[in-house]
Amino acid sequence: MSPAIALLLYGSAVATLGPRVLRGLTHRGSAPRLGAIAWAVAIGAALTAWVVAAIMLTTEFATYWGHPKEALRVCFAILWVPIHVRGGAAGQAISFAVAALVATATFALVARAVGVGMSMGRRTRAHARAVRLVGRRVPGVGAVVLDSPERQAYCLPGRPDIIVVTSAALAALTTEQLAAVLAHERAHLSGRHAPMTAALSAIATALPGLRLMTVGAAEITRLLEMCADDRAAEAHGSLPLLGGLLAIVGIAEPAPPGALAVAGTAVLARAERLVDPVGAVRRATTCTALVGVIAIMVTGLALAAATFVVAARCC
């Protein structure tokens, strides 16, 4: 079996089995940081395998399209035997068509993902500029206050980063609850969660039919919210954070693109987690299982990288 086909099958296996295995291990939020890493590794492993396979097929397409040299044939013979070496005219046509299709599809998907990411970035920056213009600073509040009847609190990455609290949320929160909510948003900013979720959203939009991408993007966002909850609860306690979540839950308007809202994702699951924390034994068991899954996927990634390096050096 050629390495290109093996990589395609490996990526497909991760994309098919990954969501089932990882959702079972991360749905409770026992180890949110490690769970988010596991989802990210699964997405990265599948994409890396597919991209490396696409590069091989695209190179084959370019080699055939141009004037193939014997040196290139020898180079890629180490990795695979192209179809058109042994086949006749039909084999050449199939090889050429498959390589051309893979090259075109890969370029289209990458272009779409980059376009979605750039569009989200522009909208996030535009909203941040608007907030700076119309928002106001209130003494004792470490955030920009935006006059609005909607109870919202969210952060926007940028230069500088911004935490936004609406006037309605400010009126609904106690001093302790506000401190916990702001600590939650600061944890998002210090952890650079927003760029990660934006990139995952772009990938999920470009590949809407793949559950690993769509479910993975949603699960990582949920787990990062739990990570921020843990940071805020460590500093201010679980009860003030829980009260803050419940005080601003049920907003009618979603947070702007690129923003992470404290009460915008999986509030019920997070509230249950704050009320009934996961025990040490279950956390240790989950961590062990996640480390094993990550090790398996990293091994596949290493093999994909080694395959690509061998091909590059040979050429």
Side-chain angles (χ1 to χ4, degrees):
M1 180 185 294
S2 75
I5 300 301
L7 288 171
L8 288 174
L9 293 177
Y10 167 75
S12 299
V14 172
T16 302
L17 301 176
R20 299 179 186 177
V21 175
L22 291 176
R23 287 200 75 174
L25 293 174
T26 62
H27 74 281
R28 184 66 175 85
S30 304
R33 187 179 302 277
L34 193 59
I37 292 173
W39 276 102
V41 169
I43 293 173
L47 290 177
T48 300
W50 288 334
V51 167
V52 172
I55 290 174
M56 289 181 174
L57 292 173
T58 302
T59 304
E60 178 67 11
F61 165 66
T63 302
Y64 188 80
W65 177 261
H67 300 284
K69 304 293 185 181
E70 189 62 28
L72 287 177
R73 289 183 181 275
V74 173
C75 166
F76 279 93
I78 295 177
L79 296 172
W80 60 355
V81 178
I83 297 175
H84 64 261
V85 170
R86 294 182 179 175
Q92 295 180 15
I94 292 173
S95 176
F96 184 82
V98 170
L101 180 62
V102 170
T104 303
T106 302
F107 177 80
L109 290 173
V110 170
R112 184 179 181 187
V114 171
V116 170
M118 293 178 64
S119 177
M120 288 182 59
R122 286 193 297 268
R123 285 184 288 171
T124 300
R125 290 190 294 271
H127 183 79
R129 287 194 297 268
V131 167
R132 293 190 186 97
L133 289 175
V134 302
R136 54 190 172 88
R137 294 285 181 177
V138 175
V141 178
V144 175
V145 178
L146 194 64
D147 291 321
S148 171
E150 297 291 340
R151 298 189 302 274
Q152 283 189 337
Y154 56 88
C155 62
L156 291 167
R159 299 179 181 177
D161 298 329
I162 299 176
I163 298 176
V164 180
V165 179
T166 62
S167 55
L170 198 61
L173 297 170
T174 66
T175 302
E176 293 79 9
Q177 291 170 352
L178 176 62
V181 166
L182 294 180
H184 174 100
E185 298 302 333
R186 284 194 292 270
H188 278 316
L189 293 174
S190 63
R192 310 308 299 170
H193 295 168
M196 180 184 298
T197 56
L200 290 169
S201 178
I203 294 172
T205 302
L207 299 168
L210 290 176
R211 293 186 68 250
L212 176 64
M213 308 306 166
T214 55
V215 175
E219 286 296 303
I220 289 177
T221 299
R222 185 177 68 89
L223 292 168
L224 291 179
E225 290 291 345
M226 292 180 178
C227 290
D229 285 345
D230 289 345
R231 291 281 298 276
E234 288 174 4
H236 300 280
S238 298
L239 291 180
L241 177 61
L242 178 60
L245 286 174
L246 297 179
I248 60 179
V249 73
I251 58 175
E253 293 293 332
L260 290 175
V262 67
T265 302
V267 176
L268 180 59
R270 291 161 55 201
E272 291 176 350
R273 184 172 174 270
L274 290 171
V275 172
D276 183 21
V278 177
V281 174
R282 182 168 183 173
R283 183 181 296 107
T285 302
T286 302
C287 287
T288 302
L290 285 172
V291 168
V293 171
I294 291 172
I296 293 172
M297 293 186 294
V298 168
T299 301
L301 272 175
L303 291 175
T307 300
F308 181 76
V309 170
V310 169
R313 287 183 176 178
C314 186
C315 291

